[in-house]
Amino acid sequence: MKGQRDRGTEGQRFRGLTLCTSFIVLRKIQTEHLRIEIMLNEKEKNLRAFGKMIMKLAGGRDLSRSETRECYCQVILNKQPELQQGAFLMSHLTKGPTTEELCGAWDALYEFDTEKIEPDF
């Protein structure tokens, strides 16, 4: 009789351990799913914000220096799909860039696409 009780207790412990392990695994999956969902939401937000800049340019409105810099940074660093990049560049060229927009584009090029060197004299 005592042996049966020990087996029963072991079985209950094993089931409890299995349930606990299953809960931990499920929690990890949920956490990973949430992390992926947050990343997708951020990517979608970036796409939408970039699209708004394209629409602003297509409507003939000017961008600020910082907006232009941010858009060109995303193009230079390839953070937007090629179709979005092409639409941005075409709408910017079609509208005709202002001096402020050219400064923003230059800021982005200087920061992300220019190799800085120190000359030896």
Side-chain angles (χ1 to χ4, degrees), residues 41-81:
N41 285 340
E42 284 299 314
K43 189 171 184 178
E44 185 176 337
K45 283 179 187 177
N46 289 339
L47 282 171
R48 288 179 185 270
F50 196 77
K52 286 180 182 177
M53 293 297 119
I54 294 169
M55 294 302 294
K56 193 173 178 180
L57 286 170
R61 293 181 292 163
D62 297 336
L63 298 178
S64 69
R65 183 175 183 163
S66 62
E67 287 173 330
T68 307
R69 181 191 166 283
E70 180 58 35
C71 288
Y72 272 94
C73 287
Q74 290 185 34
V75 170
I76 292 167
L77 299 174
N78 205 27
K79 290 185 176 182
Q80 295 292 328

Side-chain angles (χ1 to χ4, degrees), residues 30-46:
Q30 288 173 338
T31 303
E32 183 66 17
H33 178 71
L34 182 60
R35 189 179 67 76
I36 290 170
E37 191 175 305
I38 289 169
M39 283 176 28
L40 290 176
N41 285 340
E42 284 299 314
K43 189 171 184 178
E44 185 176 337
K45 283 179 187 177
N46 289 339

Side-chain angles (χ1 to χ4, degrees), residues 1-8:
M1 187 111 178
K2 187 175 183 181
Q4 290 177 347
R5 285 185 189 159
D6 289 342
R7 283 187 212 144

Side-chain angles (χ1 to χ4, degrees), residues 78 80-89:
N78 205 27
Q80 295 292 328
E82 290 177 0
L83 185 63
Q84 292 278 83
Q85 292 179 25
F88 169 74
L89 294 171

